[in-house]
Amino acid sequence: MKTVYTCFCTDVIHEGHRNILKHAGEYGRVVVGCLSDKEMIRCTKFPTTSEEERMALYRSLEGVDEVILQDNMLYDDVIEKIHPDYVVHGDNWKEGAERAVREHVEQLIASYGGQMIDVPYTYSENVKKVDQRLREKLSMPEYRRKRLRQLIDMRPVVKIMEAHSGLTGLIVEKTVIDGDNGKLDQFDGMWVSSLCDSTDKGKPDIELVDMTSRLRTIDDIMEVTTKPMILDGDTGGLTEHFVYNVRTLERMGVSAVIIEDKTGLKKNSLFGTEVVQTQDSIQNFSAKIAAGKKAQLSDDFMIIARIESLILERGMEDALERAFAFTAAGADGIMIHSRKKDPAEIFEFCDRFRRKDQRTPIVVVPTSFNQVTEEELAVHGVNIVIYANQLMRAAFPVMQKTAEEILKSHRAKEVDAKLMPFKDIIRLIDEL
Ligand code: SPV
Ligand code: MG
């Protein structure tokens, strides 16, 4: 009896999966692989059920002889283990980012005479509806909110990209690449930066854009995405206001707010000591964190304390003292910021913090020290890397140049070849 293998990477079974099983059954004994959580999240599919629940679901299906866990999206582990005679998959993986995976699997099984079977993908209304419902489920506050904590446990480093609108949110949500190790890769979530949110509104980053307006941006992004969101909460404002905002953010499904230990008129950290900025006292800021934690209703929401000592050149000892004090006050994570070109002070902070605290997540924003890789940061104990402003900085010069060129040419013909056709942009946008 031949062995037929197919990998499922879903929480919900629809007629497309049943069709695959039907085809598979015609070739031999059907083994279904359940893609592990850690690999599933790299393919833009976040599980809403556990590996055990998914395996039980697959086992219950007609035409399934055995279910195993697949812990490598490139199939190496299962192929080595069961040497399937056939690998069956929907033919949608012949295109897009998944193509490289298919090619890899084809090579692996060809080495011992195995064959690929590409079943025509089921593009039915019902399949579309099931996929859509799954996405909608993931966008619900209770699923989205807890996803950041889940990712911190699952990923060597959680990769967060800035989004300041529905469209940039969609870019963060949907951009998938064939990574260097042949595996698919993507961003894990979004950072709603005060700098980019303010800049997009043509305003300075001084807490002038108020919470109502920030919530509007959050909602715009949330309406069209499912990935977790970290809000740049500036100083958190008055403690009396912060406690209300914590509740609002939780209710909306935001996963974390990062507040910085500054007080008075906040200026962007990238200005450092070139402008007047006042750091809050350890006591006041600890009280703000503690009040926020007390106000919080869900278990998943995170309040992360951002330390500005290195930005304001107050020294490493001050940064560390604050980190331990803020953690003791209840902070769920520490963000350490620096505007040095070199990551040395960030590494030193992380190493020294980790000597005493191996558990509290560390967040960094490598805008200035941008030569550092995610892997190097992870070695020093960093859990979350935020790319805080790159999408906005990428778009702005191109928009400005385009405006200048149209003015110069008195028409749009000259710029047109450099622009993306609108039909390619709207491909990102889902229709109900
Ligand atoms: C932001 O993105 O608004 C930040 C990070 O707070 S930084 O601009 O580096 O201060
Ligand atoms: Mg900010």
Side-chain angles (χ1 to χ4, degrees), residues 10 33 42 54 82 123 192 194 216 245 385 430:
T10 183
R42 295 179 67 117
R54 295 200 297 283
I82 66 166
Y123 289 101
V192 182
S194 67
R216 189 62 247 156
N245 290 332
V385 173
D430 293 322

Side-chain angles (χ1 to χ4, degrees), residues 112-258:
Y112 59 83
Q115 280 178 41
M116 305 288 277
I117 299 166
D118 301 299
V119 177
Y121 189 81
T122 312
Y123 289 101
S124 73
E125 269 313 303
N126 189 41
V127 167
K128 221 168 112 185
K129 219 182 273 167
V130 170
D131 282 346
Q132 205 167 335
R133 284 194 61 182
L134 201 55
R135 261 205 317 277
E136 274 160 19
K137 190 170 163 188
L138 282 171
S139 73
M140 297 306 262
E142 63 272 28
Y143 286 103
R144 194 193 298 247
R145 199 173 49 226
K146 66 179 176 200
R147 202 163 143 176
L148 184 65
R149 281 194 192 268
Q150 292 174 312
L151 282 162
I152 292 171
D153 288 338
M154 286 174 180
R155 282 285 233 177
V157 117
V158 177
K159 298 186 282 201
I160 302 288
M161 172 53 91
E162 170 266 313
H164 54 269
S165 60
L167 189 64
T168 47
L170 281 173
I171 290 176
V172 183
E173 178 86 9
K174 296 195 177 183
T175 304
V176 186
I177 57 142
D178 282 335
D180 12 69
N181 51 9
K183 290 190 175 186
L184 305 188
D185 211 357
Q186 52 154 343
F187 288 106
D188 298 302
M190 286 158 279
W191 164 245
V192 182
S193 146
S194 67
L195 176 62
C196 297
D197 202 0
S198 307
T199 306
D200 200 49
K201 293 170 170 60
K203 300 261 176 76
D205 180 19
I206 52 170
E207 293 187 281
L208 173 66
V209 177
D210 68 4
M211 193 46 97
T212 309
S213 178
R214 304 289 310 278
L215 295 176
R216 189 62 247 156
T217 306
I218 292 173
D219 197 43
D220 283 345
I221 299 170
M222 283 194 159
E223 268 197 62
V224 294
T225 62
T226 63
K227 288 186 178 176
M229 185 181 282
I230 304 177
L231 175 70
D232 173 0
D234 288 317
T235 65
L238 293 172
T239 300
E240 293 83 344
H241 295 176
F242 181 57
V243 290
Y244 281 90
N245 290 332
V246 164
R247 291 259 174 100
T248 307
L249 295 171
E250 281 188 277
R251 201 167 48 239
M252 288 178 84
V254 171
S255 302
V257 64
I258 299 187

